Amino acid sequence: MSTIIMSACWDLQGMTPAQKAVLVSLADQANDSGVCWPGIKTIERRTCLSERAVQEALRWLQTTGAVYRDYQPNKTTVYTVTPQNFDPAKAPSKRERNRGADGAPPADSAPPANGAPGAGSAPPPAGGAPLDPQEAHPTPAAGAPKSKGNRKGTIKEPFPPASQPGQQGVDSEKQAKEEAFRELCRETWNAYSAAYALRYKTEPVRNAKVNTAIAQFVKRIGKEAPAVAQWFVASAAEAFILKRFHDVGDLLASCEAYRTQWAVGATPQAQPGNLNKQEALEQRNRRVGEAWASQGGEHAAA
């Protein structure tokens, strides 16, 4: 599961619960590049939807750019989840789905007046002669649209033309930026995790909340994020930071300040307001002892 892809899909709006369920199911099985290849039956089982509902949701997600499907003969269909390409404005209206792209019935579909034969029909044969087989079952004219009678939504029904990720409105530069951002998030997590393991002799917890915090941290700090994250675990020494074992949330909360401290090579020192009672008492005793020693008091330390 790619938590980066999953978190991006959760924020998408403008779709039905069934469409969101199918999208999240695909994101849950996708890698960091958004690629997965579950079967239709698997999606049905995971979403509790019928085959028709799954197919309609996939068709809608593909039309809006959230999912790209790569059809390969005699092979499993490969899906690429692309939440950055999602555009609900591309979704077809209900009328277009029911009546076709132009939304209008055929021009010659009106019934002839007074029961007369249509303008394009041949006159009936004289004397009750049997009809020619070609007249009884006329062949559709070349190029005539075929009926879309398959309303079951099976895999054989034609789908809207697919667009490769990076095409039709999303240029290659944006794709490159998205991939660079994901790579920087991975580098930042690796730097934080390595420093954490070195300091605490255990691996830090990683979940959706942590991944979201890392992504936000990278957005705010940029390319310096890995170095700042490593410095935070190795050098940040405030009492509340130590008490919370250098939590990622604390790094995110003051990331700009930590970036400045990293840049100038500063080492945070524990402030008096953050000391516990024992530390405060020890500092007080030292100050009292130094004062007595400076005055030559009888209780001065040797």
Side-chain angles (χ1 to χ4, degrees), residues 2 12 76 140 175-176 198:
S2 171
L12 299 183
T76 303
Q175 290 289 330
L198 182 63

Side-chain angles (χ1 to χ4, degrees), residues 76-264:
T76 303
T77 299
V78 177
Y79 302 88
T80 302
V81 183
T82 53
Q84 69 276 9
N85 296 356
F86 176 67
D87 183 4
K90 296 180 180 179
S93 66
K94 184 176 180 181
R95 182 177 181 182
E96 289 175 344
R97 292 197 300 268
N98 291 338
R99 305 188 66 180
D102 56 0
D108 58 352
S109 61
N114 300 325
S121 61
L131 294 173
D132 183 81
Q134 292 296 330
E135 296 177 358
H137 303 283
T139 302
K146 296 182 180 180
S147 172
K148 295 183 179 179
N150 185 4
R151 303 312 308 160
K152 189 175 181 180
T154 63
I155 194 64
K156 295 181 180 179
E157 184 173 352
F159 292 99
S163 60
Q164 288 280 358
Q167 297 179 355
Q168 293 189 0
V170 180
D171 54 21
S172 58
E173 183 179 355
K174 183 177 180 180
Q175 290 289 330
K177 289 182 179 179
E178 292 286 343
E179 180 57 33
F181 175 76
R182 288 193 291 267
E183 181 61 27
L184 187 56
C185 287
R186 287 191 287 267
E187 292 178 4
T188 301
W189 170 255
N190 291 337
Y192 172 86
S193 179
Y196 193 99
L198 182 63
R199 178 162 191 156
Y200 293 109
K201 310 305 179 187
T202 186
E203 295 293 330
V205 174
R206 186 177 186 183
N207 51 34
K209 179 181 178 181
V210 170
N211 284 333
T212 300
I214 289 292
Q216 294 175 352
F217 171 70
V218 171
K219 287 181 180 179
R220 290 167 62 176
I221 298 300
K223 62 182 180 180
E224 298 172 339
V228 176
Q230 184 178 21
W231 176 92
F232 168 76
V233 178
S235 303
E238 295 95 328
F240 75 96
I241 294 295
L242 298 175
K243 184 177 180 180
R244 290 165 57 88
F245 298 98
H246 292 82
D247 185 77
V248 173
D250 296 328
L251 169 63
L252 176 63
S254 303
C255 60
E256 289 84 2
Y258 288 128
R259 184 267 169 196
T260 301
Q261 295 181 44
W262 162 81
V264 301

